[in-house]
Amino acid sequence: MIIVKEKPSITVLSPNGGETWIAGQTYNITWKPSGVNNVGIQWERYNANGTRNAAASINLNVPALAGSYSWKISSSRTV
């Protein structure tokens, strides 16, 4: 018998690129997990030439099977 195990992975469903999120608003971050117990979520900001110029953790221990995380962006945060 051959048992094939998939590599652990996360497919991010939202955001999927190009979004503009506004401070003070709440947004859902969604994903589809495969073989993962917990996920860590962070935001990153890039300048026009593709260099990351800011990053911060949102929550580093979210149950992967939840498949979503509701994030209210602090009114003082620039994303």
Side-chain angles (χ1 to χ4, degrees), residues 11-69:
T11 301
V12 177
L13 305 173
S14 175
N16 59 12
E19 290 85 357
T20 300
W21 287 9
I22 301 168
Q25 300 295 311
T26 301
Y27 298 92
N28 285 322
I29 300 166
T30 61
W31 62 87
K32 181 180 177 186
S34 177
V36 176
N37 293 325
N38 294 297
V39 298
I41 301 170
Q42 73 175 34
W43 67 266
E44 298 178 349
R45 184 177 60 213
Y46 293 82
N47 61 24
N49 69 6
T51 303
R52 185 175 81 170
N53 62 9
S57 297
I58 296 170
N59 188 327
L60 298 178
N61 193 26
V62 179
L65 290 178
S68 69
Y69 182 82

Side-chain angles (χ1 to χ4, degrees), residues 1-7 34:
M1 177 191 310
I2 297 175
I3 298 174
V4 177
K5 289 188 174 184
E6 292 183 36
K7 290 184 179 180
S34 177

